[in-house]
PDB file of all heavy atoms in Angstrom:
ATOM      1  N   THR B 803     -13.349   1.686  17.795  1.00 56.00           N
ATOM      2  CA  THR B 803     -13.980   0.383  17.749  1.00 56.00           C
ATOM      3  C   THR B 803     -15.365   0.597  17.163  1.00 56.00           C
ATOM      4  O   THR B 803     -16.169   1.303  17.753  1.00 56.00           O
ATOM      5  CB  THR B 803     -14.102  -0.258  19.140  1.00 56.00           C
ATOM      6  OG1 THR B 803     -12.785  -0.396  19.679  1.00 56.00           O
ATOM      7  CG2 THR B 803     -14.741  -1.629  19.053  1.00 56.00           C
ATOM      8  N   VAL B 804     -15.602   0.025  16.015  1.00 55.00           N
ATOM      9  CA  VAL B 804     -16.842   0.304  15.292  1.00 55.00           C
ATOM     10  C   VAL B 804     -17.662  -0.961  15.174  1.00 55.00           C
ATOM     11  O   VAL B 804     -17.184  -1.966  14.671  1.00 55.00           O
ATOM     12  CB  VAL B 804     -16.541   0.849  13.883  1.00 55.00           C
ATOM     13  CG1 VAL B 804     -17.817   1.145  13.141  1.00 55.00           C
ATOM     14  CG2 VAL B 804     -15.698   2.104  13.987  1.00 55.00           C
ATOM     15  N   ALA B 805     -18.896  -0.940  15.670  1.00 49.00           N
ATOM     16  CA  ALA B 805     -19.807  -2.061  15.521  1.00 49.00           C
ATOM     17  C   ALA B 805     -20.842  -1.692  14.474  1.00 49.00           C
ATOM     18  O   ALA B 805     -21.645  -0.796  14.684  1.00 49.00           O
ATOM     19  CB  ALA B 805     -20.484  -2.362  16.859  1.00 49.00           C
ATOM     20  N   LEU B 806     -20.792  -2.350  13.353  1.00 45.00           N
ATOM     21  CA  LEU B 806     -21.759  -2.083  12.296  1.00 45.00           C
ATOM     22  C   LEU B 806     -22.995  -2.913  12.529  1.00 45.00           C
ATOM     23  O   LEU B 806     -22.920  -4.113  12.727  1.00 45.00           O
ATOM     24  CB  LEU B 806     -21.161  -2.439  10.927  1.00 45.00           C
ATOM     25  CG  LEU B 806     -19.909  -1.651  10.550  1.00 45.00           C
ATOM     26  CD1 LEU B 806     -19.443  -2.088   9.175  1.00 45.00           C
ATOM     27  CD2 LEU B 806     -20.204  -0.183  10.562  1.00 45.00           C
ATOM     28  N   ALA B 807     -24.138  -2.282  12.492  1.00 38.00           N
ATOM     29  CA  ALA B 807     -25.383  -2.989  12.768  1.00 38.00           C
ATOM     30  C   ALA B 807     -26.466  -2.517  11.829  1.00 38.00           C
ATOM     31  O   ALA B 807     -26.586  -1.334  11.550  1.00 38.00           O
ATOM     32  CB  ALA B 807     -25.800  -2.759  14.211  1.00 38.00           C
ATOM     33  N   GLY B 826     -21.988   2.278  18.894  1.00 43.00           N
ATOM     34  CA  GLY B 826     -20.989   1.306  18.471  1.00 43.00           C
ATOM     35  C   GLY B 826     -19.650   1.916  18.155  1.00 43.00           C
ATOM     36  O   GLY B 826     -18.747   1.219  17.720  1.00 43.00           O
ATOM     37  N   LYS B 937      -8.923  -3.671  11.195  1.00 90.00           N
ATOM     38  CA  LYS B 937      -9.036  -5.113  11.082  1.00 90.00           C
ATOM     39  C   LYS B 937     -10.323  -5.630  11.717  1.00 90.00           C
ATOM     40  O   LYS B 937     -10.916  -4.971  12.570  1.00 90.00           O
ATOM     41  CB  LYS B 937      -7.832  -5.795  11.720  1.00 90.00           C
ATOM     42  CG  LYS B 937      -7.640  -5.508  13.196  1.00 90.00           C
ATOM     43  CD  LYS B 937      -6.358  -6.179  13.705  1.00 90.00           C
ATOM     44  CE  LYS B 937      -6.124  -5.929  15.166  1.00 90.00           C
ATOM     45  NZ  LYS B 937      -4.862  -6.577  15.645  1.00 90.00           N
ATOM     46  N   PRO B 938     -10.751  -6.822  11.331  1.00 91.00           N
ATOM     47  CA  PRO B 938     -11.987  -7.389  11.890  1.00 91.00           C
ATOM     48  C   PRO B 938     -11.808  -7.726  13.350  1.00 91.00           C
ATOM     49  O   PRO B 938     -10.706  -8.023  13.827  1.00 91.00           O
ATOM     50  CB  PRO B 938     -12.197  -8.663  11.059  1.00 91.00           C
ATOM     51  CG  PRO B 938     -10.837  -9.028  10.559  1.00 91.00           C
ATOM     52  CD  PRO B 938     -10.124  -7.720  10.333  1.00 91.00           C
ATOM     53  N   ASP B 939     -12.927  -7.683  14.093  1.00 88.00           N
ATOM     54  CA  ASP B 939     -12.894  -8.048  15.497  1.00 88.00           C
ATOM     55  C   ASP B 939     -12.639  -9.540  15.655  1.00 88.00           C
ATOM     56  O   ASP B 939     -11.980  -9.973  16.588  1.00 88.00           O
ATOM     57  CB  ASP B 939     -14.206  -7.629  16.156  1.00 88.00           C
ATOM     58  CG  ASP B 939     -14.191  -7.814  17.669  1.00 88.00           C
ATOM     59  OD1 ASP B 939     -13.248  -7.297  18.300  1.00 88.00           O
ATOM     60  OD2 ASP B 939     -15.093  -8.464  18.207  1.00 88.00           O
ATOM     61  N   ALA B 940     -13.173 -10.351  14.739  1.00 92.00           N
ATOM     62  CA  ALA B 940     -12.998 -11.806  14.821  1.00 92.00           C
ATOM     63  C   ALA B 940     -11.563 -12.190  14.454  1.00 92.00           C
ATOM     64  O   ALA B 940     -11.024 -11.707  13.452  1.00 92.00           O
ATOM     65  CB  ALA B 940     -13.970 -12.502  13.863  1.00 92.00           C
ATOM     66  N   LEU B 943     -11.798 -15.457  10.129  1.00 97.00           N
ATOM     67  CA  LEU B 943     -12.981 -15.057   9.387  1.00 97.00           C
ATOM     68  C   LEU B 943     -13.745 -16.218   8.762  1.00 97.00           C
ATOM     69  O   LEU B 943     -14.947 -16.116   8.553  1.00 97.00           O
ATOM     70  CB  LEU B 943     -12.596 -14.054   8.287  1.00 97.00           C
ATOM     71  CG  LEU B 943     -12.092 -12.697   8.773  1.00 97.00           C
ATOM     72  CD1 LEU B 943     -11.755 -11.801   7.579  1.00 97.00           C
ATOM     73  CD2 LEU B 943     -13.139 -12.025   9.675  1.00 97.00           C
ATOM     74  N   LYS B 952     -16.325 -16.476  15.082  1.00 94.00           N
ATOM     75  CA  LYS B 952     -16.950 -15.439  15.897  1.00 94.00           C
ATOM     76  C   LYS B 952     -17.863 -14.582  15.036  1.00 94.00           C
ATOM     77  O   LYS B 952     -17.499 -14.177  13.934  1.00 94.00           O
ATOM     78  CB  LYS B 952     -15.874 -14.583  16.573  1.00 94.00           C
ATOM     79  CG  LYS B 952     -16.398 -13.490  17.479  1.00 94.00           C
ATOM     80  CD  LYS B 952     -15.244 -12.705  18.088  1.00 94.00           C
ATOM     81  CE  LYS B 952     -15.741 -11.587  18.970  1.00 94.00           C
ATOM     82  NZ  LYS B 952     -14.607 -10.805  19.559  1.00 94.00           N
ATOM     83  N   ASN B 953     -19.074 -14.315  15.523  1.00 92.00           N
ATOM     84  CA  ASN B 953     -20.034 -13.466  14.801  1.00 92.00           C
ATOM     85  C   ASN B 953     -20.346 -14.036  13.426  1.00 92.00           C
ATOM     86  O   ASN B 953     -20.326 -13.340  12.406  1.00 92.00           O
ATOM     87  CB  ASN B 953     -19.499 -12.036  14.688  1.00 92.00           C
ATOM     88  CG  ASN B 953     -20.593 -11.026  14.401  1.00 92.00           C
ATOM     89  OD1 ASN B 953     -21.777 -11.302  14.546  1.00 92.00           O
ATOM     90  ND2 ASN B 953     -20.182  -9.835  13.991  1.00 92.00           N
ATOM     91  N   SER B 961     -17.384 -15.068   9.061  1.00 95.00           N
ATOM     92  CA  SER B 961     -17.762 -14.068  10.057  1.00 95.00           C
ATOM     93  C   SER B 961     -18.310 -12.817   9.373  1.00 95.00           C
ATOM     94  O   SER B 961     -17.810 -12.391   8.325  1.00 95.00           O
ATOM     95  CB  SER B 961     -16.556 -13.688  10.898  1.00 95.00           C
ATOM     96  OG  SER B 961     -16.861 -12.592  11.757  1.00 95.00           O
ATOM     97  N   ARG B 962     -19.323 -12.231  10.021  1.00 91.00           N
ATOM     98  CA  ARG B 962     -19.863 -10.960   9.512  1.00 91.00           C
ATOM     99  C   ARG B 962     -18.870  -9.819   9.657  1.00 91.00           C
ATOM    100  O   ARG B 962     -19.002  -8.773   9.038  1.00 91.00           O
ATOM    101  CB  ARG B 962     -21.156 -10.636  10.249  1.00 91.00           C
ATOM    102  CG  ARG B 962     -22.287 -11.605   9.928  1.00 91.00           C
ATOM    103  CD  ARG B 962     -23.535 -11.329  10.728  1.00 91.00           C
ATOM    104  NE  ARG B 962     -23.363 -11.622  12.150  1.00 91.00           N
ATOM    105  CZ  ARG B 962     -24.349 -11.605  13.043  1.00 91.00           C
ATOM    106  NH1 ARG B 962     -25.574 -11.279  12.662  1.00 91.00           N
ATOM    107  NH2 ARG B 962     -24.104 -11.890  14.307  1.00 91.00           N
ATOM    108  N   ASP B 963     -17.823 -10.044  10.469  1.00 92.00           N
ATOM    109  CA  ASP B 963     -16.791  -9.025  10.628  1.00 92.00           C
ATOM    110  C   ASP B 963     -15.990  -8.793   9.345  1.00 92.00           C
ATOM    111  O   ASP B 963     -15.200  -7.854   9.251  1.00 92.00           O
ATOM    112  CB  ASP B 963     -15.823  -9.412  11.764  1.00 92.00           C
ATOM    113  CG  ASP B 963     -16.527  -9.488  13.112  1.00 92.00           C
ATOM    114  OD1 ASP B 963     -17.736  -9.136  13.178  1.00 92.00           O
ATOM    115  OD2 ASP B 963     -15.891  -9.888  14.098  1.00 92.00           O
ATOM    116  N   SER B 964     -16.229  -9.633   8.362  1.00 94.00           N
ATOM    117  CA  SER B 964     -15.592  -9.459   7.049  1.00 94.00           C
ATOM    118  C   SER B 964     -16.026  -8.173   6.357  1.00 94.00           C
ATOM    119  O   SER B 964     -15.462  -7.805   5.330  1.00 94.00           O
ATOM    120  CB  SER B 964     -15.906 -10.667   6.146  1.00 94.00           C
ATOM    121  OG  SER B 964     -15.527 -11.874   6.754  1.00 94.00           O
ATOM    122  N   VAL B 965     -17.031  -7.485   6.903  1.00 91.00           N
ATOM    123  CA  VAL B 965     -17.465  -6.205   6.358  1.00 91.00           C
ATOM    124  C   VAL B 965     -16.309  -5.204   6.322  1.00 91.00           C
ATOM    125  O   VAL B 965     -16.346  -4.225   5.572  1.00 91.00           O
ATOM    126  CB  VAL B 965     -18.640  -5.629   7.178  1.00 91.00           C
ATOM    127  CG1 VAL B 965     -18.178  -5.168   8.537  1.00 91.00           C
ATOM    128  CG2 VAL B 965     -19.334  -4.516   6.419  1.00 91.00           C
ATOM    129  N   VAL B 966     -15.258  -5.446   7.098  1.00 92.00           N
ATOM    130  CA  VAL B 966     -14.095  -4.568   7.072  1.00 92.00           C
ATOM    131  C   VAL B 966     -13.497  -4.451   5.667  1.00 92.00           C
ATOM    132  O   VAL B 966     -12.836  -3.469   5.335  1.00 92.00           O
ATOM    133  CB  VAL B 966     -13.027  -5.045   8.083  1.00 92.00           C
ATOM    134  CG1 VAL B 966     -12.381  -6.342   7.623  1.00 92.00           C
ATOM    135  CG2 VAL B 966     -11.985  -3.971   8.338  1.00 92.00           C
ATOM    136  N   VAL B 969     -14.573  -1.241   4.119  1.00 92.00           N
ATOM    137  CA  VAL B 969     -14.240   0.002   4.825  1.00 92.00           C
ATOM    138  C   VAL B 969     -13.160   0.761   4.076  1.00 92.00           C
ATOM    139  O   VAL B 969     -12.236   0.180   3.494  1.00 92.00           O
ATOM    140  CB  VAL B 969     -13.760  -0.303   6.260  1.00 92.00           C
ATOM    141  CG1 VAL B 969     -13.228   0.940   6.949  1.00 92.00           C
ATOM    142  CG2 VAL B 969     -14.894  -0.913   7.077  1.00 92.00           C
ATOM    143  N   LEU B1098     -23.259  -9.579   5.607  1.00 86.00           N
ATOM    144  CA  LEU B1098     -22.304  -9.125   6.626  1.00 86.00           C
ATOM    145  C   LEU B1098     -22.903  -8.114   7.599  1.00 86.00           C
ATOM    146  O   LEU B1098     -22.178  -7.375   8.255  1.00 86.00           O
ATOM    147  CB  LEU B1098     -21.054  -8.552   5.945  1.00 86.00           C
ATOM    148  CG  LEU B1098     -20.340  -9.531   5.001  1.00 86.00           C
ATOM    149  CD1 LEU B1098     -19.097  -8.874   4.406  1.00 86.00           C
ATOM    150  CD2 LEU B1098     -19.969 -10.827   5.717  1.00 86.00           C
ATOM    151  N   VAL B1099     -24.227  -8.112   7.694  1.00 78.00           N
ATOM    152  CA  VAL B1099     -24.902  -7.277   8.686  1.00 78.00           C
ATOM    153  C   VAL B1099     -24.361  -7.584  10.079  1.00 78.00           C
ATOM    154  O   VAL B1099     -24.126  -8.747  10.429  1.00 78.00           O
ATOM    155  CB  VAL B1099     -26.426  -7.536   8.644  1.00 78.00           C
ATOM    156  CG1 VAL B1099     -27.114  -6.889   9.838  1.00 78.00           C
ATOM    157  CG2 VAL B1099     -27.010  -7.031   7.356  1.00 78.00           C
ATOM    158  N   ASN B1100     -24.175  -6.532  10.888  1.00 78.00           N
ATOM    159  CA  ASN B1100     -23.702  -6.656  12.267  1.00 78.00           C
ATOM    160  C   ASN B1100     -22.234  -7.041  12.374  1.00 78.00           C
ATOM    161  O   ASN B1100     -21.804  -7.569  13.400  1.00 78.00           O
ATOM    162  CB  ASN B1100     -24.552  -7.649  13.073  1.00 78.00           C
ATOM    163  CG  ASN B1100     -25.991  -7.185  13.211  1.00 78.00           C
ATOM    164  OD1 ASN B1100     -26.242  -5.997  13.391  1.00 78.00           O
ATOM    165  ND2 ASN B1100     -26.929  -8.132  13.092  1.00 78.00           N
ATOM    166  N   GLY B1101     -21.479  -6.789  11.314  1.00 83.00           N
ATOM    167  CA  GLY B1101     -20.047  -7.026  11.393  1.00 83.00           C
ATOM    168  C   GLY B1101     -19.374  -5.986  12.282  1.00 83.00           C
ATOM    169  O   GLY B1101     -19.866  -4.887  12.474  1.00 83.00           O
ATOM    170  N   LYS B1102     -18.233  -6.343  12.844  1.00 84.00           N
ATOM    171  CA  LYS B1102     -17.491  -5.450  13.731  1.00 84.00           C
ATOM    172  C   LYS B1102     -16.042  -5.363  13.277  1.00 84.00           C
ATOM    173  O   LYS B1102     -15.469  -6.343  12.816  1.00 84.00           O
ATOM    174  CB  LYS B1102     -17.556  -5.940  15.176  1.00 84.00           C
ATOM    175  CG  LYS B1102     -18.950  -6.003  15.765  1.00 84.00           C
ATOM    176  CD  LYS B1102     -18.919  -6.515  17.197  1.00 84.00           C
ATOM    177  CE  LYS B1102     -20.329  -6.589  17.788  1.00 84.00           C
ATOM    178  NZ  LYS B1102     -20.289  -7.084  19.203  1.00 84.00           N
ATOM    179  N   PHE B1103     -15.462  -4.174  13.440  1.00 84.00           N
ATOM    180  CA  PHE B1103     -14.038  -4.025  13.131  1.00 84.00           C
ATOM    181  C   PHE B1103     -13.431  -2.984  14.037  1.00 84.00           C
ATOM    182  O   PHE B1103     -14.141  -2.177  14.654  1.00 84.00           O
ATOM    183  CB  PHE B1103     -13.832  -3.660  11.661  1.00 84.00           C
ATOM    184  CG  PHE B1103     -14.484  -2.385  11.219  1.00 84.00           C
ATOM    185  CD1 PHE B1103     -13.824  -1.174  11.322  1.00 84.00           C
ATOM    186  CD2 PHE B1103     -15.777  -2.395  10.699  1.00 84.00           C
ATOM    187  CE1 PHE B1103     -14.417   0.014  10.927  1.00 84.00           C
ATOM    188  CE2 PHE B1103     -16.381  -1.219  10.285  1.00 84.00           C
ATOM    189  CZ  PHE B1103     -15.705  -0.011  10.389  1.00 84.00           C
ATOM    190  N   LYS B1104     -12.115  -3.004  14.113  1.00 82.00           N
ATOM    191  CA  LYS B1104     -11.381  -2.078  14.973  1.00 82.00           C
ATOM    192  C   LYS B1104     -10.357  -1.309  14.139  1.00 82.00           C
ATOM    193  O   LYS B1104      -9.749  -1.862  13.242  1.00 82.00           O
ATOM    194  CB  LYS B1104     -10.655  -2.833  16.082  1.00 82.00           C
ATOM    195  CG  LYS B1104     -11.569  -3.569  17.041  1.00 82.00           C
ATOM    196  CD  LYS B1104     -10.766  -4.317  18.098  1.00 82.00           C
ATOM    197  CE  LYS B1104     -11.688  -5.061  19.059  1.00 82.00           C
ATOM    198  NZ  LYS B1104     -10.906  -5.799  20.078  1.00 82.00           N
TER     199      LYS B1104
END
Side-chain angles (χ1 to χ4, degrees):
T803 300
V804 180
L806 298 181
K937 60 183 180 180
D939 188 52
L943 293 181
K952 181 180 179 181
N953 200 14
S961 173
R962 293 176 291 188
D963 296 355
S964 305
V965 71
V966 70
V969 172
L1098 302 182
V1099 169
N1100 297 321
K1102 298 180 181 180
F1103 60 89
K1104 297 179 180 179

